[in-house]
Amino acid sequence: MSAGDRLTELVDEVFRLADAFTRAGDAIVKEDGLTSSRWLTLGAVAHGPLSVAAIARRRGMRRQSAAEAVAQLEASGLVVRRPDPADARAPLVALTERGREVLDGIRPRRRAWAEQTAAVADARELEAAVLLARRLRERLDSPAP
């Protein structure tokens, strides 16, 4: 089997894995009334306010998906929009105190899930998988040779 065939097989598996991660994330945050997409959006602004476009870039989401998640989180009182002094057209999205509390409550469940799920591999395998995924993403994000 050629490297291209193996990469195609990997891509297919990664898509299935992404779907499985989404389902797992939905289960982790279900009791908080969230979805994986909304959780990703909350996490994106956990370290400071961002525009919707910046949230989408940081989390690898479509801008429309990020905007929908922000609207739902805002309606739930978990984020607020504030004017961006650098760009009046694109407000910044920031966590509310309630949003911070929800994220803090999710953290222990996420850690427990991660420890349990990581048991299928040793630390070296996981590190190699992360490095390969990062190199592939960087290659795809760079201009074609």
Side-chain angles (χ1 to χ4, degrees), residues 70-108:
V70 166
Q72 293 162 341
L73 292 167
E74 188 175 34
S76 299
L78 301 178
V79 299
V80 294
R81 295 179 209 234
R82 298 183 178 149
D84 181 350
D87 184 355
R89 298 168 296 139
L92 296 175
V93 178
L95 278 182
T96 61
E97 186 58 38
R98 176 74 185 121
R100 174 84 47 212
E101 291 169 3
V102 167
L103 275 179
D104 289 346
I106 293 168
R107 223 169 256 116

